[in-house]
């Protein structure tokens, strides 16, 4: 195959069907996505008007890919920022910037993959995912300490004098004070109903 080969012509009909004139077959957006992934170039024309609608069909392919479970590439913050550029004075610069960024990423992807493999070994991102999971567990436990009213009643705590004698940190003091407040609230709510 020659690199300077003419792009395949796809015609889109009013019934939304896409026709590949190179293979004389109807194709789907998924077929076009596969063509993009394999490096096969194509242009899409509206069959009735003859307008080039390649950009809108590619955007439609991205929309379809983003809606697949676990396939999304575009963070919400990126999408919001991109929308903000429409109609902005910077709008003219964004396409070229994005194009150059993607070309740079594409040209560096093999090097990046190699560096990631060296950093994380053959196990991929497993260790990083495990690290993130442990951090989230620690965060949740810490958050639970500051929300004592929603957690289940714990075992009776040691006497405050004993805890103070153990030389706890400020965090221990804070936990003790929160536990004391919880006990007082429990007594007040339980004492009023016992009469």
């Amino acid at each position: 195959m020659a690199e300077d080969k003419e792009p395949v012509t796809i015609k889109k009909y009013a019934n939304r069907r896409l026709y590949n004139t190179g293979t004389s077959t109807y194709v789907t957006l998924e077929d076009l996505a596969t063509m993009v992934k394999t490096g096969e170039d194509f242009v899409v024309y509206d069959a009735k008007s003859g307008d080039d609608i390649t950009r809108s069909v590619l955007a439609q392919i991205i929309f379809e890919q983003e809606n697949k479970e676990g396939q999304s590439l575009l963070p919400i913050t990126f999408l919001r920022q991109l929308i903000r550029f429409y109609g902005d004075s910077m709008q003219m610069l964004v396409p070229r910037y994005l194009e150059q960024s993607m070309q740079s990423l594409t040209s560096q992807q093999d090097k990046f993959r190699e560096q990631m493999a060296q950093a994380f070994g053959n196990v991929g991102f497993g260790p990083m995912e495990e690290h993130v999971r442990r951090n989230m567990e620690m965060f949740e436990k810490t958050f639970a300490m500051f929300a004592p009213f929603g957690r289940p009643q714990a075992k009776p705590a040691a006497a405050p004098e004993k805890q103070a004698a153990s030389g706890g940190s400020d965090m221990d003091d804070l936990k003790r004070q929160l536990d004391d407040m919880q006990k007082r609230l429990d007594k007040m709510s339980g004492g009023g109903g016992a009469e």
Side-chain angles (χ1 to χ4, degrees):
M1 282 190 209
E3 296 258 342
D4 57 351
K5 189 173 137 179
E6 285 290 316
V8 175
T9 299
I10 308 291
K11 290 185 178 181
K12 185 172 184 180
Y13 290 93
N15 61 3
R16 296 186 180 179
R17 293 190 75 184
L18 298 161
Y19 185 76
N20 183 332
T21 61
T23 60
S24 300
T25 57
Y26 285 99
V27 293
T28 64
L29 289 176
E30 192 67 36
D31 295 327
L32 295 181
T34 301
M35 289 173 69
V36 170
K37 290 175 184 178
T38 60
E40 192 172 351
D41 198 14
F42 61 84
V43 290
V44 184
Y45 294 103
D46 183 280
K48 185 175 182 181
S49 67
D51 293 341
D52 183 342
I53 57 171
T54 307
R55 179 187 311 272
S56 65
V57 169
L58 291 172
Q60 194 174 0
I61 291 170
I62 291 171
F63 178 76
E64 294 286 325
Q65 295 295 314
E66 284 290 310
N67 283 321
K68 287 184 180 177
E69 186 71 30
Q71 290 284 326
S72 65
L73 291 175
L74 304 174
I76 290 174
T77 54
F78 171 81
L79 293 171
R80 290 180 198 273
Q81 289 168 341
L82 192 59
I83 290 169
R84 287 183 190 119
F85 279 117
Y86 284 100
D88 188 90
S89 60
M90 297 293 288
Q91 181 176 342
M92 291 173 30
L93 302 175
V94 173
R96 186 67 185 141
Y97 174 78
L98 292 176
E99 188 176 2
Q100 287 177 342
S101 297
M102 288 305 291
Q103 285 174 350
S104 176
L105 178 62
T106 302
S107 67
Q108 297 296 318
Q109 70 182 354
D110 290 333
K111 185 177 179 181
F112 179 70
R113 283 187 182 126
E114 183 181 312
Q115 289 173 344
M116 293 305 282
Q118 287 174 357
F120 297 106
N122 292 333
V123 293
F125 293 101
M128 184 167 34
E129 290 172 358
E130 178 62 20
H131 181 71
V132 169
R133 187 189 61 74
R134 283 194 311 257
N135 284 346
M136 284 304 295
E137 285 176 2
M138 282 186 352
F139 174 77
E140 288 171 358
K141 287 177 184 175
T142 303
F143 185 73
M145 287 190 302
F146 292 102
F149 306 114
R151 68 177 185 203
Q153 187 68 21
K155 294 187 261 179
E161 303 83 36
K162 187 175 181 181
Q163 288 179 350
S166 69
S169 67
D170 289 340
M171 187 61 84
D172 291 334
D173 292 338
L174 183 59
K175 284 196 293 188
R176 188 173 46 256
Q177 290 172 4
L178 289 173
D179 286 339
D180 289 342
M181 277 197 318
Q182 180 66 47
K183 287 176 189 173
R184 286 185 207 147
L185 286 171
D186 289 343
K187 283 182 184 177
M188 289 185 340
S189 63
E195 292 182 329

